[in-house]
């Protein structure tokens, strides 16, 4: 009996001390404790906006921004918006710029077309003894601006990257014909078996009211010419007091509704704060008469604007100037444009390859590449422009996920090059002293 009592006391002693030494976190859980499981997603009891963005507009009250996300764009996500894209750029082979000394410039390319098994593009070409010297120093051989004393040249390519320059297409005519000072900023139309080049015809040097120039046209049976000048102004300037009373620039023809839609830009509201907007003139014949649309201007923004058939309407790439610059817009009727997307690094003076530009299509397929230019390629003392290729996904037939990303990566040095000028820095420093 004594032995049993001693054994019970010792067992109780060691049992108590074993419990004290056991770490708290190592204690066994009661058998009735629930097992640990991942936290369950609560059932949808909140009236909040859905976690997964609906592809269709939800039937619920929404803010103005969310309403706009479903009503103003082709899709609520940019990845699904056929009129949204990033842009990629490639240097072109085949063009000489005289070591970029400013004496040779190529700019303002036309739409690219496919003919005779190759691509064609037309553009403003300047080859002068010196770079532009401004309106006060210009002469009959010294240019005032990058597009002064220029002719229209063209080049061909089999792949869109390597080009062969073919030479002059539209030379400057003799004085006093339209364009004797310079012919620039051309674009191409194909209509009923013939080719038409529309362009600006300068009668004075740019900067001396020479920019108040009309649109002229030449035509040919082949994209290689020869080109016959029409020798008449195609789109006249507006009446005194009208928004386009002085300038008719950047002619851009498309075929829509069995007619020729010729879009153009004008500068208004005075210098130096010019307002640039886009107008439309319509004709049944490439040589006119063109009738300006009564709702002009049809686009409130854009320094250079390129357009292309898209679905059952027309899309516009609106680059530079105005509240709606750097947007892509769409108009079912080619007149009443609405913003379809906002983009970055849009090509300057884009001349896209538009396979259905002249087919009178009611299902425009969009664009994937073209030619643009870069202004002032080196520095102002050698001011000249160069042609480059751009690629994008503004097409119903392509879905390039890389082109649909939301942000273009821009290195820091590009930002720092947009630094304060001397006057701005001084203003800030003076304010700090106060």
């Amino acid at each position: 009996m004594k032995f049993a009592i001693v054994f019970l006391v010792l067992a109780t002693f060691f049992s108590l001390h074993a419990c004290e030494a056991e770490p708290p976190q190592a204690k066994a859980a009661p058998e009735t404790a629930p097992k640990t499981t991942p936290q369950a997603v609560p059932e949808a009891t909140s009236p909040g906006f859905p976690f997964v963005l609906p592809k269709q507009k939800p039937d619920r009250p929404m803010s103005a921004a969310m309403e706009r996300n479903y009503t103003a764009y082709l899709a609520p996500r940019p990845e699904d918006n056929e009129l949204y894209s990033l842009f990629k750029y490639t240097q072109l082979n085949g063009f000489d710029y005289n070591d970029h000394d400013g004496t040779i410039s190529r700019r303002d390319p036309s739409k690219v077309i496919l003919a005779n098994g190759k691509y064609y593009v037309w553009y403003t070409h300047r080859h002068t003894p010196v770079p532009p010297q401004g309106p006060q120093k210009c002469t009959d051989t010294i240019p005032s601006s990058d597009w002064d004393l220029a002719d229209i040249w063209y080049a061909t390519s089999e792949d869109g990257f390597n080009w062969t320059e073919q030479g002059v297409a539209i030379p400057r005519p003799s004085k006093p014909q339209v364009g004797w000072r310079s012919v620039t900023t051309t674009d191409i139309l194909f209509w009923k078996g013939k080719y038409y080049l529309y362009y600006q015809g300068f009668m004075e040097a740019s900067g001396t009211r020479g920019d108040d120039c009309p649109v002229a046209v030449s035509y040919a049976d082949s994209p290689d010419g020869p080109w016959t000048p029409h020798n008449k102004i195609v789109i006249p300037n507006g009446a005194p007091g009208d928004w386009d009373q002085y300038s008719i620039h950047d002619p851009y023809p498309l075929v829509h509704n069995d007619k020729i839609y010729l879009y153009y830009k004008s500068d208004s509201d005075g210098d130096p704060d010019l307002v640039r907007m886009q107008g439309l003139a319509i004709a049944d014949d490439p040589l006119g008469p063109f009738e300006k649309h009564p709702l002009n201007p049809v686009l409130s923004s854009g320094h250079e604007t390129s357009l292309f058939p898209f679905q059952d309407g027309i899309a516009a790439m609106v680059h530079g100037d105005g509240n709606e610059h750097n947007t892509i817009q769409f108009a079912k009727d080619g007149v009443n444009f609405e913003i379809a997307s906002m983009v970055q690094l849009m090509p300057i003076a884009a001349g896209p390859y538009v396979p259905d530009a002249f087919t009178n299509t009611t299902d425009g397929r969009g664009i994937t590449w073209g030619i643009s230019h870069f202004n002032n390629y080196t520095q102002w003392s050698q001011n000249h422009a160069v042609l480059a290729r751009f690629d994008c996904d503004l097409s119903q037939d392509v879905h390039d996920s890389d082109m649909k990303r939301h942000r273009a990566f821009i290195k820091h040095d590009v930002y720092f090059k947009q630094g304060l000028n001397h006057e701005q820095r001084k203003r800030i420093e003076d304010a700090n002293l106060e």
Side-chain angles (χ1 to χ4, degrees):
M1 173 66 78
K2 290 181 180 180
F3 177 79
I5 294 172
V6 171
F7 179 81
L8 180 61
V9 170
L10 289 174
T12 303
F13 173 81
F14 284 112
S15 176
L16 289 172
H17 279 267
C19 291
E20 290 177 1
E22 182 182 357
Q25 64 269 26
K27 289 181 179 179
E31 293 184 1
T32 56
K35 293 182 179 180
T36 303
T37 57
Q39 185 176 0
V41 177
E43 294 184 6
T45 58
S46 168
F49 192 85
F51 173 75
V52 177
L53 185 67
K55 292 184 179 297
Q56 303 298 324
K57 180 183 174 184
D59 184 13
R60 52 165 288 128
M62 292 190 294
S63 66
M66 291 308 298
E67 284 279 347
R68 191 165 60 247
N69 203 46
Y70 283 94
T71 58
Y73 307 107
L74 300 186
R77 295 175 63 99
E79 294 92 335
D80 301 323
N81 186 345
E82 297 288 10
L83 287 180
Y84 169 79
S85 182
L86 294 181
F87 297 89
K88 309 287 186 177
Y89 294 90
T90 306
Q91 292 181 332
L92 298 178
N93 297 319
F95 297 111
D96 172 58
Y97 291 93
N98 211 18
D99 292 326
H100 296 288
D101 66 356
T103 61
I104 297 177
S105 182
R106 296 177 182 87
R107 56 180 298 129
D108 295 306
S110 70
K111 288 188 295 294
V112 177
I113 68 167
L114 182 63
N116 303 326
K118 52 191 172 183
Y119 297 111
Y120 284 75
V121 68
W122 292 261
Y123 46 88
T124 301
H125 180 279
R126 173 181 59 81
H127 190 178
T128 50
V130 296
Q133 301 295 306
Q136 306 306 320
K137 297 181 179 180
C138 70
T139 67
D140 288 344
T141 57
I142 296 175
S144 66
S145 65
D146 190 27
W147 52 88
D148 190 26
L149 299 177
D151 304 291
I152 293 169
W153 284 40
Y154 78 112
T156 59
S157 173
E158 294 183 357
D159 61 8
F161 295 95
N162 301 283
W163 292 82
T164 301
E165 196 157 52
Q166 302 296 337
V168 66
I170 309 292
R172 282 169 282 159
S174 58
K175 194 174 183 178
Q177 295 182 64
V178 173
W180 69 266
R181 176 73 191 189
S182 194
V183 286
T184 72
T185 321
T186 189
D187 204 20
I188 186 74
L189 168 71
F190 180 69
W191 177 268
K192 296 182 179 180
K194 288 186 179 292
Y195 297 86
Y196 298 83
L197 280 175
Y198 297 88
Y199 48 90
Q200 293 173 225
F202 286 75
M203 274 81 78
E204 295 180 50
S206 179
T208 59
R209 297 225 69 88
D211 294 293
D212 302 340
C213 59
V215 169
V217 64
S218 294
Y219 52 91
D221 293 325
S222 164
D224 295 295
W227 297 90
T228 301
H230 183 49
N231 289 326
K232 291 183 180 180
I233 293 174
V234 176
I235 304 178
N237 287 26
D242 285 357
W243 73 286
D244 59 355
Q245 66 173 325
Y246 291 128
S247 303
I248 306 290
H249 292 176
D250 297 14
Y252 194 101
L254 291 173
V255 176
H256 186 64
N257 288 337
D258 295 312
K259 296 181 182 294
I260 299 157
Y261 279 45
L262 188 59
Y263 295 89
Y264 66 93
K265 178 190 79 182
S266 187
D267 297 337
S268 60
D269 210 17
D271 193 6
D273 298 318
L274 293 169
V275 173
R276 269 118 181 178
M277 300 182 291
Q278 314 293 318
L280 169 64
I282 302 174
D284 294 312
D285 186 279
L287 302 180
F290 279 87
E291 182 178 353
K292 294 181 180 179
H293 200 279
L295 294 183
N296 278 350
V298 298
L299 284 161
S300 65
S301 305
H303 190 98
E304 294 102 356
T305 299
S306 304
L307 305 101
F308 53 92
F310 187 79
Q311 296 179 353
D312 57 351
I314 292 177
M317 300 168 62
V318 182
H319 172 268
D321 294 332
N323 284 327
E324 297 180 349
H325 69 281
N326 291 341
T327 62
I328 298 175
Q329 303 194 23
F330 176 76
K332 188 170 183 178
D333 59 0
V335 176
N336 293 286
F337 286 87
E338 299 285 352
I339 294 174
S341 71
M342 291 158 279
V343 297
Q344 304 174 72
L345 300 179
M346 182 180 284
I348 303 170
Y353 171 53
V354 189
D356 49 12
F358 316 126
T359 64
N360 201 42
T361 180
T362 57
D363 185 22
R365 306 311 298 172
I367 63 170
T368 59
W369 71 279
I371 307 297
S372 61
H373 75 223
F374 290 112
N375 292 308
N376 188 26
Y377 192 70
T378 52
Q379 54 190 348
W380 284 114
S381 62
Q382 300 170 329
N383 183 19
H384 68 295
V386 303
L387 299 178
R389 175 183 169 121
F390 70 89
D391 284 83
C392 60
D393 178 6
L394 298 171
S395 168
Q396 295 194 73
D397 302 319
V398 173
H399 186 76
D400 187 323
S401 59
D402 190 52
M403 296 286 192
K404 297 296 184 179
R405 294 184 180 182
H406 300 188
R407 294 186 296 272
F409 176 73
I410 304 172
K411 296 189 71 172
H412 64 275
D413 58 337
V414 175
Y415 288 95
F416 286 129
K417 286 180 180 178
Q418 316 305 312
L420 297 167
N421 61 33
H422 176 74
E423 291 78 11
Q424 292 166 334
R425 185 66 179 260
K426 186 176 185 306
R427 169 177 56 79
I428 294 169
E429 290 173 348
D430 289 347
N432 288 338
L433 291 175
E434 294 175 2

